[in-house]
Amino acid sequence: MVDSGVELREATWFMPFAPGPGFPINTRLACRFGHRLCWPNPRRSVAQWGFEEPDQLWVDSLFQSYWATMLNPRRVSVRVADHPMHIARLSKPLMKALHELLACAHNIITPNETTADYLQSEFGGYIKLGPNGVDVAHFEQEREIPA
């Protein structure tokens, strides 16, 4: 076995008001401050591990955006995987939270050109394409259900 020097830590937090669909947890405040009601406190846990100022923070969900405000990362990379039609359905507060998250990002990565074009037109900035092998157009076509 090769020792990579990487230490993985597993953590579980109870979030009574975890951001998600439906009011009041589909608000910008829930995205930014919901972690303050967690037990145990994620900020203290991360500080105990020595990771309160990470070199790189990867965020792949709008509902994890509190890490960008809670920690003091040198760089923030955001992976936006949703199809534009799902992004367009976000409530106004969540869309504003997405704008805030993308504004603080140093890198914005998306797996397909459709989403990259949408993000470019809606949010501007440089969007990096990181394909994951899924052709979104495949799912936009009507198909028969297998028997």
Side-chain angles (χ1 to χ4, degrees):
M1 182 170 161
V2 176
D3 182 10
S4 65
V6 175
E7 184 178 344
L8 299 177
R9 302 207 181 232
E10 187 174 325
T12 303
W13 290 286
F14 172 66
M15 289 185 80
F17 296 103
F23 184 82
I25 56 178
N26 68 344
T27 64
R28 196 174 66 163
L29 291 176
C31 287
R32 294 179 83 193
F33 303 111
H35 67 280
R36 291 189 181 187
L37 300 174
C38 290
W39 181 85
N41 183 300
R43 175 177 263 180
R44 267 187 248 135
S45 298
V46 171
Q48 287 173 350
W49 302 333
F51 290 113
E52 62 273 6
E53 293 185 5
D55 293 329
Q56 176 70 49
L57 176 66
W58 288 87
V59 178
D60 69 353
S61 169
L62 175 60
F63 301 124
Q64 296 171 351
S65 62
Y66 61 86
W67 289 110
T69 56
M70 182 177 70
L71 302 177
N72 187 21
R74 277 195 229 169
R75 297 187 63 80
V76 176
S77 294
V78 178
R79 181 177 182 269
V80 181
D82 279 334
H83 190 276
M85 70 179 191
H86 297 291
I87 296 170
R89 290 182 190 162
L90 289 174
S91 65
K92 285 183 183 180
L94 289 183
M95 188 62 87
K96 186 160 182 149
L98 180 61
H99 275 273
E100 290 173 357
L101 177 61
L102 296 180
C104 82
H106 296 89
N107 298 305
I108 301 171
I109 303 159
T110 186
N112 60 66
E113 290 182 29
T114 307
T115 306
D117 292 343
Y118 174 80
L119 291 172
Q120 179 64 45
S121 68
E122 286 294 313
F123 302 102
Y126 179 67
I127 312 297
K128 295 177 182 172
L129 191 60
N132 60 6
V134 176
D135 182 3
V136 175
H138 174 78
F139 297 99
E140 293 174 345
Q141 300 170 10
E142 288 290 325
R143 301 200 181 274
E144 289 186 31
I145 298 174

